Amino acid sequence: MRLSQTIAAVWIALAFAIPAFSQPTDTEVRIFNSNVRSLKIAPVDNAYGVPIIKLNSDEQLNVNFDVLTYDAHYLRYSIRHCNADWQPSQLLEHEYVSGFNQADITDFIQSEGTMAHYFHYDFTFPNEEMQILKSGNYLLSVYEQDDPETVLFQTRFSVCEQMVDVAVGITTRTDVDYNDAHQQVSIELVHKQGAIRNPYEELTAVVSQNSRTDNAVTITRPMMVAGNHVVYDHNPALIFNAGNEYRRMETVNVNSLNMNVGKIDFFEPYYHASVNVDQPRAQSQYLYDQTQFGRFTIRNAEAPTGSDYQADYIVTHFTLEPSELLPKGKIYLQGEFTQGLPPSATLMHYDVQSGTYTCNMLLKQGHYNYQYPQP
């Protein structure tokens, strides 16, 4: 009998639902320029945190990324306010941001001592140039200073107000099984009297497992409302596949083997790291491991001053060896490092001769969490 699977970190976002009247706009996290790598957005004080800050606070978000290039690009960013469904709101720019809704990215540095040539960019906001005036969901876009129509990438963040108290419950005693392969989420919130007049129409709950977007669910109606208490429970959409812990590997040193890496070679112009062959774990019992819930950390153990610009890019080879052809079709490599990439970049390709699924990605040196979720 299978043991209880891991209870993963769950992000609960509660927002006031505002209908959108325009045609749907693509506001997913997207990397449009293939030279953009290692994109990360997180709170300044928590590199593994969800990109959410409080309105009218000192909290800031940090955005950092690389552009694989020999020449510096002068970049700029702007933000766009969105509704609960991540569609652009009807607010004008001056209603949600002070000053000009654009700022130059002035903190960048060229790579040093690496085979791959890149520039590393880094900025924090809100800042003196850009203050946020409204809570809500936001889309941040980065583009060339002289070509604002050509966006390099777009990513999401949120600004919240503490208008309600939220309690979240996670259990393996679900409506479909008991201490087996699922986990069930329940939410209870308490608001001030009169703050929310009709919770059935004004509230939207978004539940995300480890900040994943491929299996996030949106709940538009609570199960029960009693006075100023709102409850989301016993909803089939709030039952998630538990799965096992994230897998881990690291490439912090090109001159020695790293965790879960069996071989490192150099073929002009890059180093190549072969991750140890993975086996499916769907039918195995749960094994605890201290992971970072799918996140990655850039690090070069041999960098004397800073990994941000002294960590190299390595062609990283992932291999999954199932006992037979997996029945559910396509399999994708997944982790924070894959967010924004096109599906073709993370697709595991099946090799008939070896009977394995493989995917090769150019990744910056560091620690990585990853998994192979099936549809």
Side-chain angles (χ1 to χ4, degrees):
M1 180 178 179
R2 296 172 62 189
L3 298 181
S4 174
Q5 305 296 316
T6 181
I7 295 180
V10 176
W11 167 32
I12 308 293
L14 289 161
F16 290 104
I18 304 175
F21 300 100
S22 59
Q23 292 296 319
T25 300
D26 182 7
T27 60
E28 296 288 340
V29 178
R30 304 285 189 196
I31 296 177
F32 301 110
N33 188 311
S34 61
N35 289 327
V36 174
R37 304 286 173 134
S38 305
L39 170 63
K40 182 184 281 286
I41 176 171
V44 168
D45 59 352
N46 184 6
Y48 297 139
V50 177
I52 299 177
I53 56 175
K54 296 176 185 176
L55 184 67
N56 300 323
S57 72
D58 295 330
E59 296 178 351
Q60 290 181 299
L61 294 171
N62 174 257
V63 180
N64 62 85
F65 59 95
D66 296 334
V67 179
L68 297 178
T69 180
Y70 284 90
D71 302 312
H73 289 241
Y74 298 97
L75 305 178
R76 183 172 291 167
Y77 67 93
S78 60
I79 63 176
R80 190 172 186 180
H81 186 270
C82 297
N83 295 326
D85 59 358
W86 286 101
Q87 285 300 292
S89 72
Q90 302 300 311
L91 295 179
L92 301 176
E93 284 188 354
H94 71 269
E95 294 180 281
Y96 60 83
V97 66
S98 66
F100 294 101
N101 185 17
Q102 58 183 13
D104 295 336
I105 303 175
T106 58
D107 188 357
F108 57 89
I109 186 171
Q110 188 173 14
S111 60
E112 180 181 288
T114 60
M115 301 305 299
H117 299 275
Y118 63 87
F119 277 81
H120 177 74
Y121 294 80
D122 190 297
F123 66 94
T124 59
F125 73 99
N127 48 46
E128 293 182 356
E129 294 180 316
M130 183 180 295
Q131 293 290 323
I132 297 174
L133 305 177
K134 294 286 187 180
S135 60
N137 295 324
Y138 282 86
L139 188 70
L140 180 144
S141 301
V142 171
Y143 47 88
E144 302 273 359
Q145 289 183 8
D146 58 357
D147 187 12
E149 299 302 318
T150 303
V151 177
L152 274 66
F153 68 85
Q154 63 185 32
T155 189
R156 292 175 168 184
F157 70 94
S158 298
V159 179
C160 69
E161 297 181 63
Q162 291 184 307
M163 300 178 65
V164 297
D165 295 322
V166 182
V168 179
I170 306 173
T171 180
T172 56
R173 301 179 180 183
T174 74
D175 292 341
V176 296
D177 55 24
Y178 182 87
N179 287 348
D180 192 11
H182 297 86
Q183 55 189 226
Q184 187 161 326
V185 178
S186 61
I187 310 167
E188 181 177 356
L189 66 90
V190 179
H191 60 86
K192 294 181 180 179
Q193 292 289 352
I196 301 174
R197 296 185 178 182
N198 189 344
Y200 291 103
E201 295 183 357
E202 297 180 39
L203 288 177
T204 297
V206 180
V207 184
S208 174
Q209 187 181 40
N210 296 320
S211 300
R212 288 171 56 181
T213 58
D214 60 311
N215 66 345
V217 298
T218 299
I219 309 298
T220 57
R221 290 180 63 84
M223 181 192 77
M224 181 181 69
V225 175
N228 62 337
H229 285 68
V230 183
V231 177
Y232 300 81
D233 199 3
H234 295 290
N235 188 321
L238 294 178
I239 300 176
F240 291 82
N241 292 325
N244 226 308
E245 296 280 4
Y246 275 90
R247 304 172 192 261
R248 293 192 292 162
M249 72 88 181
E250 63 179 33
T251 53
V252 299
N253 192 328
V254 297
N255 294 308
S256 64
L257 293 183
N258 303 256
M259 179 178 61
N260 202 28
V261 171
K263 184 173 62 172
I264 295 181
D265 298 302
F266 179 77
F267 304 108
E268 187 74 30
Y270 298 118
Y271 286 96
H272 289 247
S274 298
V275 179
N276 291 332
V277 177
D278 291 313
Q279 306 292 333
R281 302 182 301 182
Q283 300 305 317
S284 63
Q285 63 185 22
Y286 167 65
L287 295 174
Y288 174 76
D289 191 17
Q290 185 65 47
T291 70
Q292 285 76 50
F293 305 112
R295 306 298 200 270
F296 71 91
T297 302
I298 299 303
R299 180 172 178 260
N300 177 0
E302 300 176 296
T305 55
S307 294
D308 286 343
Y309 60 94
Q310 292 182 322
D312 212 340
Y313 274 85
I314 298 176
V315 179
T316 309
H317 302 263
F318 295 89
T319 304
L320 177 65
E321 185 180 43
S323 57
E324 58 186 10
L325 184 65
L326 296 177
K328 295 185 178 180
K330 295 181 179 179
I331 300 175
Y332 293 89
L333 189 63
Q334 193 271 334
E336 181 191 25
F337 66 99
T338 68
Q339 288 194 21
L341 296 176
S344 59
T346 62
L347 176 65
M348 302 292 294
H349 297 276
Y350 183 71
D351 181 76
V352 177
Q353 184 174 358
S354 65
T356 61
Y357 292 84
T358 63
C359 181
N360 305 327
M361 297 189 68
L362 188 64
L363 299 177
K364 200 173 184 179
Q365 285 181 270
H367 308 270
Y368 287 83
N369 281 191
Y370 66 98
Q371 63 179 359
Y372 304 104
Q374 286 191 261

